[in-house]
Amino acid sequence: MAYDKFNVLTSTAYPLPTENVDTDQIIPARFLKATERKDFDINFFRDWRFEQDGTPKADFPLNKEIYAGSKILVGGRNFGSGSSREHAAWSVYDFGLRCVISSAFADIFKNNCLNVGVLPVQVSPEFADTLFAAIMADPKTEIKVDLPNQTVTLVATGESESFDINTYKKENMLNGFDDIDYLKNIENEISAFAETRPF
């Protein structure tokens, strides 16, 4: 699945300081039976966003108009724990988010995000607290995520922190490639190498 290239993203952010958010909350198990990738945006945090009758919960951050249109979610520690379902990463992307910032991620969720065009940015607990405080004080607070330079910056103050990312995944994000797109992009090189190998 090709996705939009990720270079530098400046956006407001949804704050979700809850710790240990697991993938069953991000996309409940009952929505994993889908045979095609659709409605994952609607069912993103379904049980936290909606009442049983489908009414949006007004106090949930992702439903608040003051954060509407944000491309970044700042989550609590250990974001994406639990089962390895790829659908959780799909729902993040389909909701319109391109970046999730947290002080700790579950490894499988982190890798699933990188495979579908969502940048997981791990920062220190102290910097995460700084971001939460800024967003709570002003919902229009902007965060700048610079993938080429691997930095995340609080625009209003200039406070910044660097983050790590696998080089291969970084190049894929910059080009909008998943693993298949990457192989297709070097198809000529693969064919040329194959010609040099004996049968």
Side-chain angles (χ1 to χ4, degrees), residues 16-50:
L16 190 63
T18 307
E19 295 189 352
N20 303 313
V21 173
D22 65 46
T23 53
D24 193 50
Q25 299 304 328
I26 296 172
I27 184 72
R30 65 185 181 278
F31 299 116
L32 305 186
K33 299 177 182 178
T35 56
E36 56 184 318
R37 182 174 161 177
K38 60 183 297 186
D39 295 333
F40 284 104
D41 54 338
I42 298 170
N43 297 319
F44 181 53
F45 280 107
R46 180 76 190 198
D47 295 335
W48 288 10
R49 287 171 60 204
F50 299 99

Tab-separated table of all heavy atoms in Angstrom, residues 16-50:
chain	number	residue	atom	x	y	z
A	16	LEU	N	-3.857	12.454	24.485
A	16	LEU	CA	-4.470	11.260	25.079
A	16	LEU	C	-3.471	10.698	26.095
A	16	LEU	O	-2.731	9.753	25.806
A	16	LEU	CB	-4.784	10.226	23.993
A	16	LEU	CG	-5.635	9.026	24.433
A	16	LEU	CD1	-7.020	9.478	24.893
A	16	LEU	CD2	-5.773	8.018	23.286
A	17	PRO	N	-3.403	11.294	27.288
A	17	PRO	CA	-2.379	10.944	28.265
A	17	PRO	C	-2.551	9.592	28.949
A	17	PRO	O	-1.711	9.207	29.769
A	17	PRO	CB	-2.460	12.094	29.277
A	17	PRO	CG	-3.857	12.594	29.160
A	17	PRO	CD	-4.243	12.420	27.730
A	18	THR	N	-3.590	8.864	28.636
A	18	THR	CA	-3.822	7.553	29.248
A	18	THR	C	-2.661	6.604	28.953
A	18	THR	O	-2.224	6.474	27.810
A	18	THR	CB	-5.119	6.921	28.708
A	18	THR	OG1	-6.192	7.852	28.877
A	18	THR	CG2	-5.436	5.623	29.424
A	19	GLU	N	-2.171	5.930	29.975
A	19	GLU	CA	-1.078	4.970	29.798
A	19	GLU	C	-1.628	3.582	29.450
A	19	GLU	O	-2.784	3.269	29.718
A	19	GLU	CB	-0.229	4.893	31.069
A	19	GLU	CG	0.498	6.187	31.397
A	19	GLU	CD	1.502	6.022	32.520
A	19	GLU	OE1	1.545	4.934	33.155
A	19	GLU	OE2	2.259	6.984	32.775
A	20	ASN	N	-0.763	2.760	28.838
A	20	ASN	CA	-1.088	1.360	28.520
A	20	ASN	C	-2.329	1.240	27.629
A	20	ASN	O	-3.200	0.390	27.878
A	20	ASN	CB	-1.274	0.549	29.809
A	20	ASN	CG	-0.057	0.598	30.715
A	20	ASN	OD1	1.074	0.413	30.258
A	20	ASN	ND2	-0.256	0.873	31.986
A	21	VAL	N	-2.414	2.091	26.632
A	21	VAL	CA	-3.507	1.995	25.663
A	21	VAL	C	-3.225	0.795	24.765
A	21	VAL	O	-2.232	0.766	24.043
A	21	VAL	CB	-3.612	3.279	24.812
A	21	VAL	CG1	-4.639	3.091	23.694
A	21	VAL	CG2	-4.001	4.456	25.696
A	22	ASP	N	-4.099	-0.214	24.807
A	22	ASP	CA	-3.833	-1.418	24.029
A	22	ASP	C	-4.586	-1.412	22.700
A	22	ASP	O	-5.490	-0.609	22.476
A	22	ASP	CB	-4.116	-2.688	24.840
A	22	ASP	CG	-5.578	-2.853	25.215
A	22	ASP	OD1	-6.447	-2.668	24.346
A	22	ASP	OD2	-5.859	-3.189	26.379
A	23	THR	N	-4.185	-2.327	21.840
A	23	THR	CA	-4.742	-2.344	20.482
A	23	THR	C	-6.222	-2.719	20.455
A	23	THR	O	-6.913	-2.396	19.493
A	23	THR	CB	-3.947	-3.313	19.585
A	23	THR	OG1	-3.864	-4.596	20.215
A	23	THR	CG2	-2.543	-2.778	19.326
A	24	ASP	N	-6.714	-3.372	21.501
A	24	ASP	CA	-8.142	-3.711	21.538
A	24	ASP	C	-8.985	-2.470	21.811
A	24	ASP	O	-10.176	-2.455	21.501
A	24	ASP	CB	-8.424	-4.778	22.592
A	24	ASP	CG	-9.822	-5.372	22.426
A	24	ASP	OD1	-10.163	-5.772	21.294
A	24	ASP	OD2	-10.582	-5.416	23.417
A	25	GLN	N	-8.385	-1.444	22.376
A	25	GLN	CA	-9.083	-0.178	22.537
A	25	GLN	C	-8.953	0.655	21.257
A	25	GLN	O	-9.896	1.328	20.842
A	25	GLN	CB	-8.529	0.605	23.735
A	25	GLN	CG	-8.688	-0.109	25.062
A	25	GLN	CD	-10.133	-0.485	25.365
A	25	GLN	OE1	-11.061	0.205	24.968
A	25	GLN	NE2	-10.331	-1.602	26.060
A	26	ILE	N	-7.779	0.600	20.640
A	26	ILE	CA	-7.558	1.354	19.395
A	26	ILE	C	-8.512	0.866	18.308
A	26	ILE	O	-9.133	1.667	17.609
A	26	ILE	CB	-6.087	1.227	18.941
A	26	ILE	CG1	-5.162	1.869	19.993
A	26	ILE	CG2	-5.879	1.884	17.582
A	26	ILE	CD1	-3.692	1.628	19.745
A	27	ILE	N	-8.642	-0.444	18.159
A	27	ILE	CA	-9.620	-1.024	17.221
A	27	ILE	C	-10.159	-2.310	17.851
A	27	ILE	O	-9.469	-3.332	17.877
A	27	ILE	CB	-9.018	-1.278	15.808
A	27	ILE	CG1	-10.082	-1.780	14.833
A	27	ILE	CG2	-7.821	-2.185	15.873
A	27	ILE	CD1	-11.069	-0.735	14.401
A	28	PRO	N	-11.364	-2.268	18.413
A	28	PRO	CA	-11.918	-3.440	19.099
A	28	PRO	C	-11.974	-4.684	18.214
A	28	PRO	O	-12.160	-4.592	16.994
A	28	PRO	CB	-13.323	-2.980	19.498
A	28	PRO	CG	-13.194	-1.494	19.634
A	28	PRO	CD	-12.246	-1.090	18.540
A	29	ALA	N	-11.814	-5.844	18.842
A	29	ALA	CA	-11.703	-7.126	18.126
A	29	ALA	C	-12.885	-7.411	17.212
A	29	ALA	O	-12.730	-8.052	16.175
A	29	ALA	CB	-11.529	-8.261	19.130
A	30	ARG	N	-14.067	-6.916	17.570
A	30	ARG	CA	-15.243	-7.234	16.753
A	30	ARG	C	-15.186	-6.615	15.353
A	30	ARG	O	-15.961	-6.988	14.476
A	30	ARG	CB	-16.515	-6.782	17.469
A	30	ARG	CG	-16.666	-5.294	17.680
A	30	ARG	CD	-17.909	-5.012	18.506
A	30	ARG	NE	-18.157	-3.594	18.745
A	30	ARG	CZ	-17.583	-2.875	19.687
A	30	ARG	NH1	-16.676	-3.444	20.482
A	30	ARG	NH2	-17.888	-1.591	19.840
A	31	PHE	N	-14.250	-5.674	15.147
A	31	PHE	CA	-14.135	-5.042	13.836
A	31	PHE	C	-13.014	-5.653	12.987
A	31	PHE	O	-12.685	-5.145	11.924
A	31	PHE	CB	-13.901	-3.538	13.984
A	31	PHE	CG	-15.014	-2.836	14.702
A	31	PHE	CD1	-14.788	-2.209	15.922
A	31	PHE	CD2	-16.301	-2.815	14.173
A	31	PHE	CE1	-15.814	-1.561	16.597
A	31	PHE	CE2	-17.344	-2.169	14.839
A	31	PHE	CZ	-17.096	-1.547	16.051
A	32	LEU	N	-12.433	-6.745	13.460
A	32	LEU	CA	-11.327	-7.371	12.733
A	32	LEU	C	-11.797	-8.359	11.681
A	32	LEU	O	-10.990	-8.926	10.952
A	32	LEU	CB	-10.380	-8.083	13.711
A	32	LEU	CG	-9.810	-7.243	14.848
A	32	LEU	CD1	-8.782	-8.044	15.629
A	32	LEU	CD2	-9.209	-5.943	14.342
A	33	LYS	N	-13.097	-8.568	11.592
A	33	LYS	CA	-13.626	-9.547	10.635
A	33	LYS	C	-13.789	-8.972	9.235
A	33	LYS	O	-14.139	-9.695	8.303
A	33	LYS	CB	-14.977	-10.071	11.125
A	33	LYS	CG	-14.906	-10.785	12.474
A	33	LYS	CD	-16.289	-11.209	12.948
A	33	LYS	CE	-16.227	-11.875	14.315
A	33	LYS	NZ	-17.585	-12.254	14.810
A	34	ALA	N	-13.550	-7.687	9.086
A	34	ALA	CA	-13.724	-7.038	7.785
A	34	ALA	C	-12.845	-7.690	6.730
A	34	ALA	O	-11.685	-8.029	6.985
A	34	ALA	CB	-13.388	-5.558	7.890
A	35	THR	N	-13.401	-7.884	5.547
A	35	THR	CA	-12.646	-8.506	4.449
A	35	THR	C	-11.982	-7.465	3.562
A	35	THR	O	-11.222	-7.810	2.663
A	35	THR	CB	-13.574	-9.388	3.590
A	35	THR	OG1	-14.666	-8.589	3.113
A	35	THR	CG2	-14.106	-10.550	4.419
A	36	GLU	N	-12.282	-6.192	3.788
A	36	GLU	CA	-11.610	-5.126	3.069
A	36	GLU	C	-11.349	-3.978	4.031
A	36	GLU	O	-11.995	-3.862	5.073
A	36	GLU	CB	-12.427	-4.657	1.871
A	36	GLU	CG	-13.843	-4.211	2.203
A	36	GLU	CD	-14.624	-3.848	0.959
A	36	GLU	OE1	-14.046	-3.198	0.074
A	36	GLU	OE2	-15.808	-4.221	0.876
A	37	ARG	N	-10.398	-3.148	3.662
A	37	ARG	CA	-10.001	-2.074	4.565
A	37	ARG	C	-10.938	-0.878	4.393
A	37	ARG	O	-10.739	-0.017	3.545
A	37	ARG	CB	-8.555	-1.668	4.277
A	37	ARG	CG	-8.048	-0.597	5.204
A	37	ARG	CD	-6.587	-0.330	4.977
A	37	ARG	NE	-6.201	0.950	5.525
A	37	ARG	CZ	-4.968	1.426	5.523
A	37	ARG	NH1	-4.002	0.719	4.982
A	37	ARG	NH2	-4.707	2.604	6.033
A	38	LYS	N	-11.962	-0.825	5.224
A	38	LYS	CA	-12.901	0.291	5.198
A	38	LYS	C	-13.521	0.464	6.574
A	38	LYS	O	-13.591	-0.489	7.366
A	38	LYS	CB	-13.990	0.073	4.146
A	38	LYS	CG	-14.821	-1.171	4.346
A	38	LYS	CD	-15.845	-1.361	3.221
A	38	LYS	CE	-16.849	-0.255	3.162
A	38	LYS	NZ	-17.928	-0.531	2.160
A	39	ASP	N	-13.921	1.668	6.895
A	39	ASP	CA	-14.559	2.041	8.155
A	39	ASP	C	-13.637	1.961	9.362
A	39	ASP	O	-14.112	2.053	10.504
A	39	ASP	CB	-15.815	1.196	8.420
A	39	ASP	CG	-16.906	1.449	7.401
A	39	ASP	OD1	-16.939	2.560	6.843
A	39	ASP	OD2	-17.717	0.535	7.155
A	40	PHE	N	-12.340	1.820	9.135
A	40	PHE	CA	-11.445	1.772	10.292
A	40	PHE	C	-11.340	3.144	10.953
A	40	PHE	O	-11.050	3.242	12.146
A	40	PHE	CB	-10.062	1.243	9.900
A	40	PHE	CG	-10.041	-0.240	9.693
A	40	PHE	CD1	-10.013	-0.783	8.415
A	40	PHE	CD2	-10.082	-1.102	10.772
A	40	PHE	CE1	-10.020	-2.161	8.226
A	40	PHE	CE2	-10.085	-2.487	10.599
A	40	PHE	CZ	-10.055	-3.014	9.319
A	41	ASP	N	-11.587	4.218	10.188
A	41	ASP	CA	-11.596	5.552	10.786
A	41	ASP	C	-12.772	5.709	11.738
A	41	ASP	O	-12.632	6.259	12.836
A	41	ASP	CB	-11.633	6.629	9.696
A	41	ASP	CG	-12.789	6.449	8.719
A	41	ASP	OD1	-13.301	5.316	8.602
A	41	ASP	OD2	-13.182	7.438	8.082
A	42	ILE	N	-13.922	5.187	11.342
A	42	ILE	CA	-15.118	5.281	12.183
A	42	ILE	C	-14.943	4.481	13.471
A	42	ILE	O	-15.401	4.882	14.547
A	42	ILE	CB	-16.355	4.761	11.417
A	42	ILE	CG1	-16.611	5.624	10.179
A	42	ILE	CG2	-17.588	4.741	12.310
A	42	ILE	CD1	-17.658	5.053	9.251
A	43	ASN	N	-14.273	3.338	13.368
A	43	ASN	CA	-14.151	2.433	14.512
A	43	ASN	C	-12.872	2.625	15.318
A	43	ASN	O	-12.601	1.874	16.247
A	43	ASN	CB	-14.277	0.986	14.024
A	43	ASN	CG	-15.639	0.723	13.425
A	43	ASN	OD1	-16.652	1.185	13.962
A	43	ASN	ND2	-15.690	0.010	12.305
A	44	PHE	N	-12.098	3.630	14.974
A	44	PHE	CA	-10.899	4.002	15.733
A	44	PHE	C	-11.325	4.435	17.134
A	44	PHE	O	-12.151	5.326	17.303
A	44	PHE	CB	-10.198	5.145	14.995
A	44	PHE	CG	-8.923	5.645	15.616
A	44	PHE	CD1	-7.890	4.780	15.922
A	44	PHE	CD2	-8.751	7.004	15.857
A	44	PHE	CE1	-6.693	5.250	16.458
A	44	PHE	CE2	-7.566	7.492	16.384
A	44	PHE	CZ	-6.531	6.610	16.691
A	45	PHE	N	-10.817	3.754	18.163
A	45	PHE	CA	-11.220	4.004	19.555
A	45	PHE	C	-12.740	3.980	19.702
A	45	PHE	O	-13.318	4.788	20.434
A	45	PHE	CB	-10.655	5.339	20.058
A	45	PHE	CG	-9.212	5.278	20.477
A	45	PHE	CD1	-8.227	5.850	19.686
A	45	PHE	CD2	-8.850	4.643	21.651
A	45	PHE	CE1	-6.893	5.792	20.063
A	45	PHE	CE2	-7.518	4.578	22.040
A	45	PHE	CZ	-6.536	5.155	21.241
A	46	ARG	N	-13.380	3.053	19.033
A	46	ARG	CA	-14.840	3.023	18.971
A	46	ARG	C	-15.503	3.094	20.348
A	46	ARG	O	-16.426	3.889	20.575
A	46	ARG	CB	-15.299	1.747	18.248
A	46	ARG	CG	-16.809	1.614	18.114
A	46	ARG	CD	-17.360	2.514	17.046
A	46	ARG	NE	-18.805	2.577	17.061
A	46	ARG	CZ	-19.543	3.007	16.046
A	46	ARG	NH1	-18.946	3.395	14.942
A	46	ARG	NH2	-20.844	3.060	16.125
A	47	ASP	N	-15.042	2.254	21.262
A	47	ASP	CA	-15.718	2.187	22.561
A	47	ASP	C	-15.398	3.372	23.464
A	47	ASP	O	-16.116	3.632	24.427
A	47	ASP	CB	-15.365	0.879	23.273
A	47	ASP	CG	-15.890	-0.335	22.522
A	47	ASP	OD1	-16.871	-0.177	21.770
A	47	ASP	OD2	-15.322	-1.431	22.671
A	48	TRP	N	-14.319	4.068	23.184
A	48	TRP	CA	-13.979	5.262	23.948
A	48	TRP	C	-14.604	6.510	23.338
A	48	TRP	O	-14.859	7.472	24.038
A	48	TRP	CB	-12.453	5.432	24.024
A	48	TRP	CG	-11.777	4.438	24.912
A	48	TRP	CD1	-12.326	3.332	25.478
A	48	TRP	CD2	-10.407	4.466	25.328
A	48	TRP	NE1	-11.386	2.656	26.216
A	48	TRP	CE2	-10.198	3.321	26.153
A	48	TRP	CE3	-9.342	5.315	25.097
A	48	TRP	CZ2	-8.974	3.041	26.726
A	48	TRP	CZ3	-8.109	5.038	25.669
A	48	TRP	CH2	-7.925	3.912	26.477
A	49	ARG	N	-14.856	6.477	22.027
A	49	ARG	CA	-15.389	7.656	21.331
A	49	ARG	C	-16.911	7.729	21.335
A	49	ARG	O	-17.471	8.828	21.231
A	49	ARG	CB	-14.917	7.662	19.873
A	49	ARG	CG	-13.449	8.012	19.686
A	49	ARG	CD	-13.025	7.786	18.237
A	49	ARG	NE	-13.784	8.595	17.300
A	49	ARG	CZ	-13.944	8.276	16.018
A	49	ARG	NH1	-13.437	7.159	15.532
A	49	ARG	NH2	-14.640	9.079	15.228
A	50	PHE	N	-17.583	6.550	21.409
A	50	PHE	CA	-19.034	6.540	21.242
A	50	PHE	C	-19.754	5.805	22.367
A	50	PHE	O	-19.235	4.837	22.924
A	50	PHE	CB	-19.409	5.871	19.912
A	50	PHE	CG	-18.861	6.577	18.700
A	50	PHE	CD1	-17.703	6.126	18.085
A	50	PHE	CD2	-19.506	7.694	18.167
A	50	PHE	CE1	-17.184	6.772	16.968
A	50	PHE	CE2	-19.007	8.337	17.052
A	50	PHE	CZ	-17.840	7.883	16.444
